[in-house]
Amino acid sequence: MPLVTTTEMFKKAYEGGYAIGAFNVNNMEIVQGIVDAAKEEQSPLILQVSAGARKYAKHIYLVKLVEAALEDSNLPIALHLDHGDSFEICKDCVDGGFTSVMIDASHHDFDENVKITKQVVEYAHAHGVVVEAELGRLAGVEDDVNVADKDARFTDPEQAAEFVALTGVDSLAIAIGTSHGAYKFKGDPYLDFDRLKKVGELLPNFPIVLHGASTVLPEFVAKCNEFGGNIPGAQGVPEDMLRKAATMSVCKINIDTDLRLAMTASIREYLAKNPSEFDPRKYLGPARDAIKGMVAHKIKNVLGSSHKL
């Protein structure tokens, strides 16, 4: 099966009241853990690559890993660029085999965001590739994305509808309270579901995306800290909130921090318990299994995309 776009995935997800998981990939073990879970759960899948991942692993290596995943799993998989901040990087990914790209020009004013997004949409659509954009800014730090709390702002629903009409974008990431990284909330977790509902009313049948949506599962944080880590007070988005969002207009939920925590917790534990071991396969294998278990849990209990092929 070749790579697919997200168009049909999102149509089914919107109608079915579930979301597709978009999992960030950086190396072979992460790809394998995610894909093995999706294969076991018979779930459609988005594998996404950030600008930081392209710098770390190189574009060609990541594309070939995803091609291997396709051949191994026979699942519908979309390959997506996460947080492309310029027309040039989006063009590189369109030309380089991606089926979906995100142009994140949310750091510009509204008119400039529209201008850049429209340019990407025109090029991508001409090559059969779909486009995600962002309106409103999420606080937090992840890869090359770094937005201070004071610069974060929630998405205006009416402006979102105008933005989609002006750009022709295929999906839209909005800010309703999530944030990047492991420290998403300083107080009680909060998502603005009234705002999300309004966006859905103004953009019927249009797929909305949630970034910064890792749960920061406490068991992985605890394990990291137990075996030498220092991640105090980390807090993510509660799973019941994500499940609720997935029953509304949210069709894509991004997960990256939970992958990092699952992998790192497993590696820390293995090395602490086996200090004489230096074979990477011995600690990367269990880390891959940890990712698989975590992703399977997300698919079944949070996204609702199990057996939705």
Side-chain angles (χ1 to χ4, degrees), residues 98-272:
F98 283 50
T99 55
S100 176
V101 295
M102 179 199 185
I103 174 62
D104 181 3
S106 62
H107 50 289
H108 295 289
D109 64 30
F110 181 82
D111 290 341
E112 187 67 12
N113 191 352
V114 167
K115 177 183 176 182
I116 296 169
T117 299
K118 190 173 181 180
Q119 182 185 18
V120 172
V121 167
E122 289 172 353
Y123 187 83
H125 283 184
H127 293 79
V129 173
V130 295
V131 181
E132 172 188 329
E134 182 168 328
L135 191 65
R137 303 196 71 193
L138 274 66
V141 179
E142 192 168 75
D143 275 2
D144 293 335
V145 181
N146 188 339
V147 180
D149 287 345
K150 65 181 177 62
D151 295 324
R153 59 183 182 273
F154 281 27
T155 303
D156 177 82
E158 292 185 357
Q159 197 175 58
E162 181 185 4
F163 183 86
V164 169
L166 289 171
T167 60
V169 73
D170 300 286
S171 61
L172 185 66
I174 64 172
I176 60 169
T178 58
S179 65
H180 294 291
Y183 301 90
K184 300 185 185 301
F185 302 101
K186 292 180 179 178
D188 293 334
Y190 168 77
L191 295 185
D192 192 338
F193 288 107
D194 289 340
R195 188 179 298 267
L196 176 59
K197 181 182 178 184
K198 182 66 173 177
V199 169
E201 291 169 350
L202 293 172
L203 291 168
N205 301 310
F206 186 83
I208 298 301
V209 178
L210 275 191
H211 284 241
S214 283
T215 305
V216 188
L217 293 163
E219 58 263 39
F220 295 128
V221 174
K223 186 178 285 189
C224 280
N225 290 336
E226 179 184 356
F227 294 104
N230 183 24
I231 316 173
Q235 184 177 198
V237 186
E239 292 185 341
D240 61 334
M241 289 187 179
L242 294 174
R243 187 72 199 100
K244 180 178 179 179
T247 65
M248 298 173 72
S249 54
V250 171
C251 296
K252 174 176 179 271
I253 291 179
N254 286 15
I255 298 169
D256 186 10
T257 298
D258 282 338
L259 296 167
R260 300 181 186 199
L261 287 170
M263 186 171 213
T264 301
S266 175
I267 291 171
R268 281 190 176 278
E269 179 182 28
Y270 185 89
L271 292 177

Side-chain angles (χ1 to χ4, degrees), residues 27 29 263 266-267 279-289:
N27 65 14
E29 286 78 13
M263 186 171 213
S266 175
I267 291 171
D279 182 348
R281 295 170 296 182
K282 295 291 181 65
Y283 54 83
L284 289 176
R288 177 176 56 197
D289 292 341

Side-chain angles (χ1 to χ4, degrees), residues 274-308:
N274 301 274
S276 64
E277 188 56 70
F278 56 88
D279 182 348
R281 295 170 296 182
K282 295 291 181 65
Y283 54 83
L284 289 176
R288 177 176 56 197
D289 292 341
I291 286 175
K292 178 184 175 181
M294 187 275 294
V295 171
H297 165 77
K298 295 285 186 183
I299 289 171
K300 285 186 290 189
N301 302 310
V302 181
L303 301 166
S305 63
S306 185
H307 300 283
K308 294 295 195 297

Side-chain angles (χ1 to χ4, degrees), residues 24-26 48-59 62 143:
N24 285 70
V25 297
N26 297 278
Q48 59 184 24
V49 172
S50 67
R54 288 177 84 239
K55 291 176 184 176
Y56 171 76
K58 294 186 181 179
H59 178 108
L62 293 168
D143 275 2

